[in-house]
Amino acid sequence: MKWKFGLIALGVAVGLSPLFGLGNGHNNSENGHTPSVALADSTTSNYSGTLGSQTDGTLVQWQLKDGTLTLGGGTFPVMSGNVFDIQQGQLLYTLEKTATVSDGTSPANIDFANLITKVNISNKLTIQSSNIGASYFFANLTHVREYTNLQNLDLSRLGSTTSSTISMGSMFSSNAALTTISLPNFNLSTGSAIDIDNLFANDKDLASADLSNLAGPSNPVASTDSLFSNNPKLREVNLANLSFTNDCDYQNMFTGSPQIAKITLNSSMILTKDTVDPEWGDTAGVHLTGPDTTTDLTGLWQTLGAGKVNFINNYPTDGYLNNNPLGDSTYTNDELYGLYNGTLTAELPANETYVWQPTDKARFTTPDPVTPVTPSTPAPAESDTAAFQQFNVSAIKKIGLYSSKDFSAAHRIAWFVKKPQMKQPVFTVMGTTKST
């Protein structure tokens, strides 16, 4: 390879996402808005405004941005309307009918039900005492996939005596896109029973529900009627720590939810068997479906014990991450009903998890991920940013002087021919650069 040698004449250094869903369509002629009210801009889905009134102390700031509805702190206004309005959903109805929108858009012309994909409660939001309580509060938010900061929703004003019941019925019903949810305590008032009938009814994509932090002995559950009805994808339910009144209504608790493969039960719960009303022919009972006998399932429930049964990314629809229960006890579905018939409460563990027992070939445990050790990086012997130090070189071969970093005949200023050592020209290197 033939190399070119040369110098630059100028030394320059160069740095190198409920039960009676009424849908989302509404007749705007019935809501009292005049034609002068602005219509929603079809090119945007971001809005903000207020709910309630500062006069009665119920002013709540809200913002809808990129699908997330954020509710600020305050006191939520008591909803007024007939039973069908309530079943539409307290939050949705209040937004569509009474919200003030900052840009003057009529709230009736904003498609809240389709635009909202996430609900965030950024500060303490109090629900006032009324005959509807928190029932249907988030109902019919059909595109909501996630709720965040639910612990900021305060239900302490609902139920204040031992004879009162806190109504939370249908609170999240017809949330068709919701897949997982974990409920907080909601600051429930001590001593009041809670009604959670139809709480997740018709949530067709719901796969996992955790109610273990919702309530304890100070807030016994009075009704679980249709609690998880019509949840065809529901795989995991945690009812740990819940207690139940002696006359709790359990009927249809799991009707239409035949895929529950992991369930945690409290010892005070009663799994009522299916019975047929002789007069009306209605079927009562919790309708908990046991496992079938297949190549992967034994057809029995097994206690989890010290084993692992969980799901990839904690989403049951993604499949099992571990499927290896190690509990000592197994039960048929009828035998599980027999354990929780109300007569063995004192003998049962306070909370117990049961899973569909896999066959030996279907058992597996995923090894815990190994955290790689990052090797230490030795310090550089010399800083890359050290200042350039000029130095001298002698031309031992023929060398050219150029006016540009791109060596060419057009840029060559002069040639320096090869000379004896004592007569070799000496050049000072003032900086560095690179040719293009």
Side-chain angles (χ1 to χ4, degrees):
M1 180 178 292
K2 185 176 180 181
W3 294 92
K4 264 178 129 177
F5 293 86
L7 297 172
I8 302 177
L10 299 176
V12 180
V14 180
L16 306 173
S17 197
L19 296 181
F20 299 93
L22 300 183
N24 304 318
H26 305 286
N27 186 341
N28 295 332
S29 65
E30 298 176 356
N31 56 33
H33 295 291
T34 64
S36 61
V37 176
L39 297 176
D41 182 354
S42 61
T43 63
T44 182
S45 60
N46 298 336
Y47 304 94
S48 63
T50 58
L51 298 172
S53 168
Q54 194 161 11
T55 303
D56 60 12
T58 63
L59 194 68
V60 175
Q61 302 286 336
W62 63 270
Q63 180 187 59
L64 177 57
K65 183 177 181 181
D66 300 329
T68 298
L69 175 68
T70 299
L71 298 173
T75 301
F76 195 81
V78 174
M79 177 182 168
S80 60
N82 58 42
V83 64
F84 294 103
D85 294 334
I86 295 169
Q87 290 169 346
Q88 180 181 325
Q90 288 197 58
L91 178 57
L92 184 58
Y93 181 88
T94 302
L95 283 168
E96 293 181 339
K97 300 297 183 181
T98 69
T100 299
V101 186
S102 299
D103 66 2
T105 300
S106 166
N109 292 319
I110 300 175
D111 194 0
F112 287 104
N114 283 322
L115 291 175
I116 301 172
T117 58
K118 177 180 177 180
V119 176
N120 174 47
I121 303 176
S122 61
N123 291 291
K124 181 179 177 181
L125 181 63
T126 301
I127 305 298
Q128 299 184 76
S129 179
S130 67
N131 61 341
I132 57 176
S135 61
Y136 293 96
F137 192 81
F138 297 109
N140 277 310
L141 294 176
T142 53
H143 291 271
V144 169
R145 296 187 294 269
E146 181 184 8
Y147 290 91
T148 56
N149 294 314
L150 279 174
Q151 74 277 3
N152 287 331
L153 189 63
D154 184 4
L155 306 186
S156 60
R157 295 189 189 179
L158 308 184
S160 56
T161 67
T162 55
S163 61
S164 61
T165 300
I166 299 171
S167 178
M168 298 171 60
S170 302
M171 191 173 177
F172 297 91
S173 61
S174 294
N175 278 216
L178 186 64
T179 56
T180 65
I181 192 165
S182 179
L183 297 185
N185 172 258
F186 294 119
N187 195 27
L188 298 175
S189 55
T190 301
S192 297
I194 60 174
D195 179 349
I196 53 175
D197 64 281
N198 293 288
L199 189 64
F200 302 108
N202 303 316
D203 291 358
K204 65 179 183 178
D205 280 350
L206 186 65
S208 176
D210 185 352
L211 278 67
S212 61
N213 295 313
L214 176 60
S218 62
N219 296 110
V221 180
S223 175
T224 62
D225 182 3
S226 303
L227 170 61
F228 294 109
S229 65
N230 299 318
N231 302 150
K233 295 183 181 179
L234 187 61
R235 298 282 290 169
E236 180 181 39
V237 172
N238 189 348
L239 302 174
N241 307 319
L242 294 180
S243 62
F244 302 85
T245 61
N246 292 332
D247 58 350
C248 179
D249 180 3
Y250 296 100
Q251 68 176 342
N252 299 310
M253 186 174 181
F254 304 110
T255 299
S257 305
Q259 299 298 317
I260 300 173
K262 181 181 181 182
I263 187 168
T264 302
L265 302 175
N266 181 269
S267 59
S268 66
M269 183 178 177
I270 297 177
L271 294 177
T272 56
K273 289 189 175 182
D274 295 351
T275 56
V276 178
D277 187 295
E279 182 177 355
W280 299 98
D282 295 338
T283 301
V286 296
H287 298 166
L288 178 64
T289 304
D292 294 326
T293 302
T294 68
T295 56
D296 293 330
L297 297 170
T298 67
L300 300 173
W301 290 96
Q302 181 179 2
T303 51
L304 178 61
K308 286 185 177 181
V309 175
N310 52 18
F311 303 94
I312 299 171
N313 300 319
N314 292 320
Y315 283 92
T317 53
D318 288 348
Y320 286 104
L321 178 66
N322 296 284
N323 191 16
N324 189 34
L326 297 176
D328 295 329
S329 303
T330 57
Y331 306 93
T332 66
N333 206 49
D334 283 344
E335 288 171 342
L336 189 65
Y337 274 77
L339 279 182
Y340 291 85
N341 64 5
T343 65
L344 302 174
T345 300
E347 302 172 30
L348 292 170
N351 300 297
E352 187 77 89
T353 299
Y354 303 89
V355 298
W356 288 1
Q357 185 183 40
T359 59
D360 289 341
K361 80 175 189 66
R363 292 175 178 268
F364 65 92
T365 301
T366 303
D368 292 332
V370 177
T371 303
V373 177
T374 304
S376 58
T377 303
E382 186 175 328
S383 173
D384 293 334
T385 59
F388 180 82
Q389 299 294 321
Q390 295 183 5
F391 60 94
N392 296 330
V393 294
S394 298
I396 62 176
K397 294 185 178 181
K398 179 181 178 181
I399 191 170
L401 178 65
Y402 294 85
S403 62
S404 168
K405 64 184 179 181
D406 298 312
F407 297 162
S408 68
H411 295 144
R412 187 168 56 241
I413 298 174
W415 279 115
F416 292 86
V417 297
K418 181 178 178 180
K419 291 189 175 185
Q421 183 177 4
M422 297 303 293
K423 295 184 179 181
Q424 290 173 351
V426 177
F427 301 94
T428 299
V429 179
M430 303 174 63
T432 64
T433 187
K434 288 185 177 182
S435 61
T436 55

Short mmCIF file of all heavy atoms in Angstrom, two decimals, residues 292-346:
data_model
loop_
_atom_site.label_atom_id
_atom_site.label_comp_id
_atom_site.label_asym_id
_atom_site.label_seq_id
_atom_site.Cartn_x
_atom_site.Cartn_y
_atom_site.Cartn_z
N ASP A 292 -61.91 -28.92 35.03
CA ASP A 292 -62.19 -30.15 34.31
C ASP A 292 -61.00 -31.09 34.44
O ASP A 292 -59.90 -30.69 34.83
CB ASP A 292 -62.45 -29.86 32.83
CG ASP A 292 -63.73 -29.05 32.63
OD1 ASP A 292 -64.68 -29.26 33.40
OD2 ASP A 292 -63.75 -28.21 31.70
N THR A 293 -61.19 -32.35 34.07
CA THR A 293 -60.09 -33.30 34.00
C THR A 293 -59.59 -33.34 32.56
O THR A 293 -60.32 -33.72 31.65
CB THR A 293 -60.55 -34.70 34.43
OG1 THR A 293 -61.07 -34.63 35.77
CG2 THR A 293 -59.38 -35.68 34.40
N THR A 294 -58.35 -32.89 32.37
CA THR A 294 -57.75 -32.83 31.03
C THR A 294 -56.33 -33.38 31.10
O THR A 294 -55.88 -33.86 32.15
CB THR A 294 -57.71 -31.38 30.51
OG1 THR A 294 -56.78 -30.62 31.30
CG2 THR A 294 -59.08 -30.72 30.58
N THR A 295 -55.60 -33.30 30.00
CA THR A 295 -54.21 -33.75 30.00
C THR A 295 -53.33 -32.87 30.87
O THR A 295 -52.26 -33.29 31.31
CB THR A 295 -53.64 -33.75 28.56
OG1 THR A 295 -53.80 -32.44 28.00
CG2 THR A 295 -54.36 -34.77 27.70
N ASP A 296 -53.80 -31.64 31.15
CA ASP A 296 -53.02 -30.72 31.97
C ASP A 296 -53.60 -30.51 33.36
O ASP A 296 -52.93 -29.91 34.22
CB ASP A 296 -52.92 -29.36 31.28
CG ASP A 296 -52.09 -29.40 30.01
OD1 ASP A 296 -51.17 -30.23 29.92
OD2 ASP A 296 -52.39 -28.63 29.08
N LEU A 297 -54.82 -30.98 33.61
CA LEU A 297 -55.49 -30.76 34.89
C LEU A 297 -56.00 -32.07 35.46
O LEU A 297 -56.52 -32.92 34.72
CB LEU A 297 -56.65 -29.78 34.73
CG LEU A 297 -56.31 -28.35 34.28
CD1 LEU A 297 -57.59 -27.59 33.94
CD2 LEU A 297 -55.53 -27.61 35.36
N THR A 298 -55.91 -32.19 36.79
CA THR A 298 -56.38 -33.41 37.45
C THR A 298 -57.88 -33.38 37.73
O THR A 298 -58.46 -34.40 38.08
CB THR A 298 -55.65 -33.62 38.78
OG1 THR A 298 -56.03 -32.56 39.70
CG2 THR A 298 -54.13 -33.61 38.59
N GLY A 299 -58.48 -32.18 37.63
CA GLY A 299 -59.89 -32.03 37.98
C GLY A 299 -60.12 -31.70 39.44
O GLY A 299 -61.26 -31.68 39.91
N LEU A 300 -59.03 -31.40 40.17
CA LEU A 300 -59.13 -31.11 41.61
C LEU A 300 -58.59 -29.71 41.90
O LEU A 300 -57.80 -29.15 41.14
CB LEU A 300 -58.31 -32.13 42.41
CG LEU A 300 -58.70 -33.59 42.29
CD1 LEU A 300 -57.69 -34.47 43.02
CD2 LEU A 300 -60.11 -33.83 42.83
N TRP A 301 -59.05 -29.17 43.03
CA TRP A 301 -58.45 -27.97 43.61
C TRP A 301 -57.31 -28.41 44.51
O TRP A 301 -57.43 -29.40 45.23
CB TRP A 301 -59.46 -27.19 44.44
CG TRP A 301 -60.55 -26.50 43.69
CD1 TRP A 301 -61.82 -26.96 43.46
CD2 TRP A 301 -60.49 -25.20 43.09
NE1 TRP A 301 -62.55 -26.05 42.75
CE2 TRP A 301 -61.76 -24.95 42.51
CE3 TRP A 301 -59.50 -24.24 42.97
CZ2 TRP A 301 -62.05 -23.77 41.83
CZ3 TRP A 301 -59.78 -23.06 42.30
CH2 TRP A 301 -61.05 -22.83 41.74
N GLN A 302 -56.20 -27.68 44.53
CA GLN A 302 -55.08 -27.97 45.42
C GLN A 302 -54.70 -26.71 46.17
O GLN A 302 -54.69 -25.61 45.61
CB GLN A 302 -53.87 -28.48 44.64
CG GLN A 302 -52.67 -28.82 45.53
CD GLN A 302 -51.48 -29.36 44.76
OE1 GLN A 302 -51.53 -29.45 43.53
NE2 GLN A 302 -50.41 -29.71 45.45
N THR A 303 -54.39 -26.86 47.47
CA THR A 303 -53.90 -25.71 48.21
C THR A 303 -52.53 -25.31 47.66
O THR A 303 -51.73 -26.16 47.28
CB THR A 303 -53.79 -26.02 49.71
OG1 THR A 303 -53.06 -27.24 49.89
CG2 THR A 303 -55.18 -26.16 50.33
N LEU A 304 -52.27 -24.02 47.64
CA LEU A 304 -51.03 -23.53 47.06
C LEU A 304 -49.82 -23.90 47.90
O LEU A 304 -48.77 -24.29 47.38
CB LEU A 304 -51.10 -22.01 46.89
CG LEU A 304 -49.86 -21.31 46.33
CD1 LEU A 304 -49.53 -21.83 44.93
CD2 LEU A 304 -50.06 -19.81 46.30
N GLY A 305 -49.96 -23.80 49.23
CA GLY A 305 -48.86 -24.11 50.12
C GLY A 305 -47.66 -23.21 49.84
O GLY A 305 -47.78 -22.02 49.58
N ALA A 306 -46.47 -23.84 49.86
CA ALA A 306 -45.24 -23.09 49.62
C ALA A 306 -44.88 -23.03 48.14
O ALA A 306 -43.79 -22.57 47.78
CB ALA A 306 -44.09 -23.72 50.41
N GLY A 307 -45.77 -23.49 47.29
CA GLY A 307 -45.50 -23.51 45.86
C GLY A 307 -45.69 -22.16 45.21
O GLY A 307 -46.00 -21.15 45.86
N LYS A 308 -45.52 -22.14 43.90
CA LYS A 308 -45.68 -20.91 43.12
C LYS A 308 -46.67 -21.16 41.98
O LYS A 308 -46.49 -22.08 41.19
CB LYS A 308 -44.35 -20.46 42.52
CG LYS A 308 -43.36 -19.86 43.50
CD LYS A 308 -42.13 -19.36 42.75
CE LYS A 308 -41.14 -18.69 43.68
NZ LYS A 308 -39.95 -18.17 42.93
N VAL A 309 -47.69 -20.33 41.95
CA VAL A 309 -48.60 -20.29 40.80
C VAL A 309 -48.85 -18.82 40.52
O VAL A 309 -49.59 -18.15 41.26
CB VAL A 309 -49.92 -21.02 41.06
CG1 VAL A 309 -50.86 -20.84 39.87
CG2 VAL A 309 -49.68 -22.51 41.31
N ASN A 310 -48.20 -18.30 39.51
CA ASN A 310 -48.41 -16.90 39.14
C ASN A 310 -48.27 -16.76 37.63
O ASN A 310 -48.02 -17.75 36.92
CB ASN A 310 -47.46 -15.97 39.89
CG ASN A 310 -46.00 -16.40 39.78
OD1 ASN A 310 -45.64 -17.18 38.92
ND2 ASN A 310 -45.17 -15.90 40.68
N PHE A 311 -48.44 -15.55 37.17
CA PHE A 311 -48.59 -15.34 35.73
C PHE A 311 -47.53 -14.38 35.19
O PHE A 311 -47.00 -13.54 35.92
CB PHE A 311 -49.99 -14.81 35.43
CG PHE A 311 -51.08 -15.72 35.93
CD1 PHE A 311 -51.67 -15.51 37.17
CD2 PHE A 311 -51.50 -16.79 35.18
CE1 PHE A 311 -52.65 -16.36 37.64
CE2 PHE A 311 -52.48 -17.64 35.63
CZ PHE A 311 -53.07 -17.44 36.87
N ILE A 312 -47.25 -14.52 33.92
CA ILE A 312 -46.26 -13.67 33.26
C ILE A 312 -46.70 -12.21 33.36
O ILE A 312 -47.84 -11.87 33.02
CB ILE A 312 -46.09 -14.08 31.78
CG1 ILE A 312 -45.60 -15.52 31.68
CG2 ILE A 312 -45.14 -13.14 31.07
CD1 ILE A 312 -45.60 -16.08 30.28
N ASN A 313 -45.79 -11.36 33.84
CA ASN A 313 -46.08 -9.93 34.00
C ASN A 313 -47.29 -9.68 34.90
O ASN A 313 -47.89 -8.61 34.85
CB ASN A 313 -46.31 -9.26 32.64
CG ASN A 313 -45.11 -9.36 31.73
OD1 ASN A 313 -43.98 -9.21 32.16
ND2 ASN A 313 -45.35 -9.64 30.46
N ASN A 314 -47.66 -10.67 35.72
CA ASN A 314 -48.83 -10.58 36.59
C ASN A 314 -50.13 -10.42 35.82
O ASN A 314 -51.13 -9.97 36.37
CB ASN A 314 -48.67 -9.44 37.62
CG ASN A 314 -47.57 -9.73 38.62
OD1 ASN A 314 -47.42 -10.86 39.08
ND2 ASN A 314 -46.80 -8.71 38.95
N TYR A 315 -50.13 -10.78 34.54
CA TYR A 315 -51.32 -10.74 33.71
C TYR A 315 -51.72 -12.18 33.37
O TYR A 315 -51.02 -12.84 32.58
CB TYR A 315 -51.08 -9.95 32.41
CG TYR A 315 -51.09 -8.46 32.58
CD1 TYR A 315 -49.92 -7.76 32.84
CD2 TYR A 315 -52.28 -7.73 32.49
CE1 TYR A 315 -49.91 -6.38 33.00
CE2 TYR A 315 -52.28 -6.35 32.65
CZ TYR A 315 -51.11 -5.69 32.90
OH TYR A 315 -51.11 -4.31 33.06
N PRO A 316 -52.80 -12.68 33.94
CA PRO A 316 -53.18 -14.07 33.69
C PRO A 316 -53.35 -14.41 32.22
O PRO A 316 -53.12 -15.55 31.82
CB PRO A 316 -54.51 -14.19 34.44
CG PRO A 316 -54.41 -13.20 35.55
CD PRO A 316 -53.65 -12.04 34.95
N THR A 317 -53.74 -13.43 31.41
CA THR A 317 -53.93 -13.72 29.99
C THR A 317 -52.62 -13.97 29.26
O THR A 317 -52.62 -14.48 28.14
CB THR A 317 -54.68 -12.56 29.30
OG1 THR A 317 -54.00 -11.34 29.58
CG2 THR A 317 -56.11 -12.46 29.82
N ASP A 318 -51.48 -13.62 29.90
CA ASP A 318 -50.17 -13.86 29.27
C ASP A 318 -49.67 -15.28 29.51
O ASP A 318 -48.62 -15.66 28.99
CB ASP A 318 -49.13 -12.87 29.80
CG ASP A 318 -49.35 -11.46 29.26
OD1 ASP A 318 -50.16 -11.32 28.32
OD2 ASP A 318 -48.73 -10.52 29.77
N GLY A 319 -50.38 -16.07 30.34
CA GLY A 319 -49.95 -17.43 30.62
C GLY A 319 -49.19 -17.53 31.93
O GLY A 319 -48.83 -16.54 32.56
N TYR A 320 -48.93 -18.78 32.35
CA TYR A 320 -48.26 -19.02 33.63
C TYR A 320 -46.77 -18.71 33.56
O TYR A 320 -46.10 -19.06 32.60
CB TYR A 320 -48.42 -20.47 34.05
CG TYR A 320 -49.79 -20.84 34.57
CD1 TYR A 320 -50.67 -21.57 33.78
CD2 TYR A 320 -50.19 -20.48 35.85
CE1 TYR A 320 -51.93 -21.92 34.25
CE2 TYR A 320 -51.44 -20.82 36.32
CZ TYR A 320 -52.32 -21.54 35.53
OH TYR A 320 -53.55 -21.88 35.99
N LEU A 321 -46.27 -18.07 34.61
CA LEU A 321 -44.84 -17.93 34.82
C LEU A 321 -44.34 -19.11 35.65
O LEU A 321 -43.29 -19.68 35.39
CB LEU A 321 -44.53 -16.61 35.53
CG LEU A 321 -43.05 -16.34 35.85
CD1 LEU A 321 -42.25 -16.17 34.56
CD2 LEU A 321 -42.92 -15.09 36.72
N ASN A 322 -45.13 -19.46 36.66
CA ASN A 322 -44.88 -20.64 37.48
C ASN A 322 -46.21 -21.37 37.68
O ASN A 322 -47.25 -20.72 37.90
CB ASN A 322 -44.32 -20.26 38.86
CG ASN A 322 -42.96 -19.60 38.77
OD1 ASN A 322 -41.95 -20.24 38.54
ND2 ASN A 322 -42.95 -18.27 38.95
N ASN A 323 -46.19 -22.67 37.64
CA ASN A 323 -47.41 -23.46 37.86
C ASN A 323 -47.03 -24.72 38.63
O ASN A 323 -46.97 -25.83 38.08
CB ASN A 323 -48.07 -23.82 36.53
CG ASN A 323 -49.46 -24.41 36.72
OD1 ASN A 323 -50.06 -24.28 37.79
ND2 ASN A 323 -49.99 -25.05 35.70
N ASN A 324 -46.76 -24.54 39.92
CA ASN A 324 -46.28 -25.65 40.74
C ASN A 324 -46.77 -25.52 42.17
O ASN A 324 -46.02 -25.17 43.08
CB ASN A 324 -44.75 -25.71 40.71
CG ASN A 324 -44.21 -26.96 41.38
OD1 ASN A 324 -44.83 -28.02 41.30
ND2 ASN A 324 -43.06 -26.85 42.02
N PRO A 325 -48.07 -25.78 42.42
CA PRO A 325 -48.58 -25.73 43.80
C PRO A 325 -47.99 -26.87 44.62
O PRO A 325 -47.77 -27.98 44.09
CB PRO A 325 -50.09 -25.88 43.62
CG PRO A 325 -50.24 -26.64 42.33
CD PRO A 325 -49.11 -26.18 41.46
N LEU A 326 -47.75 -26.62 45.91
CA LEU A 326 -47.14 -27.63 46.77
C LEU A 326 -47.95 -27.90 48.03
O LEU A 326 -47.45 -28.53 48.96
CB LEU A 326 -45.71 -27.19 47.15
CG LEU A 326 -44.71 -27.04 46.00
CD1 LEU A 326 -43.38 -26.51 46.51
CD2 LEU A 326 -44.52 -28.36 45.27
N GLY A 327 -49.19 -27.43 48.07
CA GLY A 327 -50.02 -27.68 49.24
C GLY A 327 -50.34 -29.16 49.42
O GLY A 327 -50.33 -29.94 48.46
N ASP A 328 -50.65 -29.55 50.66
CA ASP A 328 -50.87 -30.96 50.98
C ASP A 328 -52.28 -31.45 50.69
O ASP A 328 -52.52 -32.66 50.64
CB ASP A 328 -50.58 -31.21 52.47
CG ASP A 328 -49.13 -30.97 52.83
OD1 ASP A 328 -48.27 -31.20 51.96
OD2 ASP A 328 -48.86 -30.53 53.97
N SER A 329 -53.23 -30.52 50.47
CA SER A 329 -54.64 -30.93 50.39
C SER A 329 -55.20 -30.72 48.99
O SER A 329 -54.87 -29.73 48.31
CB SER A 329 -55.48 -30.13 51.39
OG SER A 329 -54.99 -30.29 52.71
N THR A 330 -56.05 -31.64 48.57
CA THR A 330 -56.75 -31.52 47.29
C THR A 330 -58.23 -31.77 47.53
O THR A 330 -58.61 -32.52 48.44
CB THR A 330 -56.22 -32.51 46.24
OG1 THR A 330 -56.35 -33.85 46.76
CG2 THR A 330 -54.77 -32.23 45.90
N TYR A 331 -59.06 -31.14 46.69
CA TYR A 331 -60.51 -31.23 46.88
C TYR A 331 -61.21 -31.24 45.53
O TYR A 331 -60.77 -30.58 44.58
CB TYR A 331 -61.05 -30.03 47.68
CG TYR A 331 -60.35 -29.81 49.01
CD1 TYR A 331 -59.28 -28.93 49.11
CD2 TYR A 331 -60.78 -30.48 50.16
CE1 TYR A 331 -58.64 -28.73 50.31
CE2 TYR A 331 -60.14 -30.28 51.38
CZ TYR A 331 -59.06 -29.40 51.45
OH TYR A 331 -58.43 -29.20 52.64
N THR A 332 -62.31 -31.97 45.47
CA THR A 332 -63.21 -31.80 44.34
C THR A 332 -63.95 -30.48 44.54
O THR A 332 -63.88 -29.88 45.62
CB THR A 332 -64.22 -32.94 44.26
OG1 THR A 332 -65.08 -32.88 45.42
CG2 THR A 332 -63.52 -34.30 44.19
N ASN A 333 -64.66 -30.04 43.54
CA ASN A 333 -65.39 -28.78 43.68
C ASN A 333 -66.45 -28.90 44.79
O ASN A 333 -66.62 -27.98 45.60
CB ASN A 333 -66.05 -28.39 42.35
CG ASN A 333 -66.25 -26.89 42.23
OD1 ASN A 333 -65.34 -26.12 42.47
ND2 ASN A 333 -67.46 -26.49 41.85
N ASP A 334 -67.14 -30.04 44.84
CA ASP A 334 -68.15 -30.24 45.89
C ASP A 334 -67.51 -30.26 47.27
O ASP A 334 -68.08 -29.75 48.24
CB ASP A 334 -68.92 -31.54 45.64
CG ASP A 334 -69.95 -31.39 44.54
OD1 ASP A 334 -70.29 -30.25 44.18
OD2 ASP A 334 -70.42 -32.43 44.03
N GLU A 335 -66.32 -30.85 47.37
CA GLU A 335 -65.64 -30.89 48.67
C GLU A 335 -65.20 -29.49 49.11
O GLU A 335 -65.23 -29.19 50.31
CB GLU A 335 -64.43 -31.82 48.59
CG GLU A 335 -64.80 -33.29 48.51
CD GLU A 335 -63.61 -34.18 48.20
OE1 GLU A 335 -62.57 -33.67 47.71
OE2 GLU A 335 -63.72 -35.40 48.45
N LEU A 336 -64.83 -28.66 48.16
CA LEU A 336 -64.47 -27.28 48.51
C LEU A 336 -65.70 -26.54 49.03
O LEU A 336 -65.61 -25.79 50.01
CB LEU A 336 -63.88 -26.56 47.29
CG LEU A 336 -63.27 -25.18 47.56
CD1 LEU A 336 -62.05 -25.30 48.48
CD2 LEU A 336 -62.87 -24.49 46.26
N TYR A 337 -66.83 -26.73 48.39
CA TYR A 337 -68.08 -26.17 48.88
C TYR A 337 -68.34 -26.64 50.31
O TYR A 337 -68.78 -25.86 51.17
CB TYR A 337 -69.24 -26.57 47.99
CG TYR A 337 -69.49 -25.69 46.79
CD1 TYR A 337 -68.68 -25.76 45.66
CD2 TYR A 337 -70.54 -24.79 46.77
CE1 TYR A 337 -68.91 -24.97 44.55
CE2 TYR A 337 -70.79 -23.99 45.66
CZ TYR A 337 -69.96 -24.08 44.56
OH TYR A 337 -70.20 -23.29 43.46
N GLY A 338 -68.07 -27.91 50.57
CA GLY A 338 -68.31 -28.47 51.90
C GLY A 338 -67.42 -27.86 52.97
O GLY A 338 -67.84 -27.72 54.13
N LEU A 339 -66.20 -27.49 52.60
CA LEU A 339 -65.30 -26.84 53.56
C LEU A 339 -65.84 -25.49 53.99
O LEU A 339 -65.73 -25.10 55.16
CB LEU A 339 -63.91 -26.64 52.95
CG LEU A 339 -62.92 -27.80 52.92
CD1 LEU A 339 -61.62 -27.32 52.30
CD2 LEU A 339 -62.67 -28.33 54.32
N TYR A 340 -66.42 -24.77 53.04
CA TYR A 340 -66.88 -23.41 53.29
C TYR A 340 -68.41 -23.37 53.36
O TYR A 340 -69.06 -22.63 52.63
CB TYR A 340 -66.34 -22.47 52.21
CG TYR A 340 -64.84 -22.26 52.31
CD1 TYR A 340 -63.96 -23.17 51.72
CD2 TYR A 340 -64.31 -21.22 53.06
CE1 TYR A 340 -62.58 -23.01 51.84
CE2 TYR A 340 -62.93 -21.05 53.18
CZ TYR A 340 -62.08 -21.95 52.58
OH TYR A 340 -60.71 -21.80 52.71
N ASN A 341 -68.94 -24.18 54.28
CA ASN A 341 -70.39 -24.20 54.44
C ASN A 341 -70.84 -23.49 55.72
O ASN A 341 -72.02 -23.53 56.08
CB ASN A 341 -70.90 -25.64 54.44
CG ASN A 341 -70.37 -26.44 55.62
OD1 ASN A 341 -69.69 -25.90 56.49
ND2 ASN A 341 -70.67 -27.73 55.63
N GLY A 342 -69.90 -22.82 56.40
CA GLY A 342 -70.24 -22.06 57.59
C GLY A 342 -70.09 -22.80 58.89
O GLY A 342 -70.19 -22.19 59.96
N THR A 343 -69.81 -24.10 58.84
CA THR A 343 -69.69 -24.88 60.08
C THR A 343 -68.24 -25.15 60.46
O THR A 343 -67.97 -25.58 61.59
CB THR A 343 -70.42 -26.23 59.93
OG1 THR A 343 -69.76 -27.01 58.92
CG2 THR A 343 -71.88 -26.02 59.55
N LEU A 344 -67.31 -24.90 59.57
CA LEU A 344 -65.90 -25.22 59.83
C LEU A 344 -65.03 -23.97 59.90
O LEU A 344 -63.80 -24.06 59.82
CB LEU A 344 -65.36 -26.14 58.72
CG LEU A 344 -66.10 -27.47 58.54
CD1 LEU A 344 -65.55 -28.21 57.33
CD2 LEU A 344 -65.98 -28.32 59.80
N THR A 345 -65.65 -22.82 60.07
CA THR A 345 -64.92 -21.55 60.04
C THR A 345 -63.74 -21.54 61.01
O THR A 345 -62.64 -21.11 60.65
CB THR A 345 -65.87 -20.38 60.37
OG1 THR A 345 -66.91 -20.34 59.41
CG2 THR A 345 -65.12 -19.06 60.35
N ALA A 346 -63.95 -22.02 62.22
CA ALA A 346 -62.89 -21.99 63.24
C ALA A 346 -61.74 -22.92 62.90
O ALA A 346 -60.62 -22.73 63.38
CB ALA A 346 -63.47 -22.33 64.60
#
